[in-house]
Amino acid sequence: GIQVEQSPPDLILQEGANSTLRCNFSDSVNNLQWFHQNPWGQLINLFYIPSGTKQNGRLSATTVATERYSLLYISSSQTTDSGVYFCAVEIRAGKSTFGDGTTLTVKP
Amino acid sequence: GAVVSQHPSWVICKSGTSVKIECRSLDFQATTMFWYRQFPKQSLMLMATSNEGSKATYEQGVEKDKFLINHASLTLSTLTVTSAHPEDSSFYICSGWYGSNGGELFFGEGSRLTVL
C-alpha cells in the first residue's frame, strides 16, 4: 500500500518562531489533507490541498503532487498551535492513509 | 466545513460486554463514512469503510465479527464493539466524506473506550 512519511516526528519551538512540516507519499493520490489533533483528540481540518498553495492566516500549505510531497508552514507560532499535525492522503473515494504525525510543542 | 458528531465521548465497560458508538453527520448526507482507531501516541489506522445501505468494507486484520458496523441512514453510522476485552481499549474516531468534486474528510470528536 501507499506509504506516508512525515517529518520531523517531534518539533519544539519558542513562541513566535516559524516552522515547516513535511509529508512525503509514495504514490499518486487523489487528494491530501492536513489536520491538527488537539489535546482532546479532536481532528481539526486545516487544509484540503491536492495541489498548489493555500493560506489561512498564519498557516499555509503547498502540495507538489508530481514530486509527491506536501509542506505545512506555521508562522509566528503560538502555544495554542501545540499538538499533533497529520497529513492524510486519499487513495480513492475518501479512503485515506495517515502519516505518523508531527508532534509540535510551542513554549511560551 | 461539515459537522460530524460522535457519541459517547467516553465509555467504560466490563470485559465481555458490547459497546455501541454512534457517528452522525449533522449538516450533510454521508453516503460514506470511515472508522479509525488510534492507540496512544500513534497514528490513525483505518478500520473500515461504512457505506449507506450496504455492508461495510473492513481493512485487512480487522475482525468484522468483533467490530460490527451499520450504516442504516445517510446521517448515521454505528460501530459496535462486541464482547469487548481490555485489548479493545482505544480511541475510535469516525469521519464523514463530504464534497462534490473530490471530497474532504470531516471527523467526529472521537470516543475513548476503556474495557476493564
Side-chain angles (χ1 to χ4, degrees), chain B residues 50-68:
Chain B
S50 173
N51 295 299
E52 187 268 337
S54 63
K55 290 184 179 181
T57 304
Y58 291 83
E59 294 301 300
Q60 189 173 6
V62 177
E63 300 176 60
K64 60 181 180 181
D65 294 330
K66 159 69 76 175
F67 300 102
L68 299 179

Side-chain angles (χ1 to χ4, degrees), chain B residues 16-19 64-68 80-85 88:
Chain B
T17 61
S18 295
V19 174
K64 60 181 180 181
D65 294 330
K66 159 69 76 175
F67 300 102
L68 299 179
T80 301
V81 183
T82 62
S83 187
H85 288 94
D88 298 324

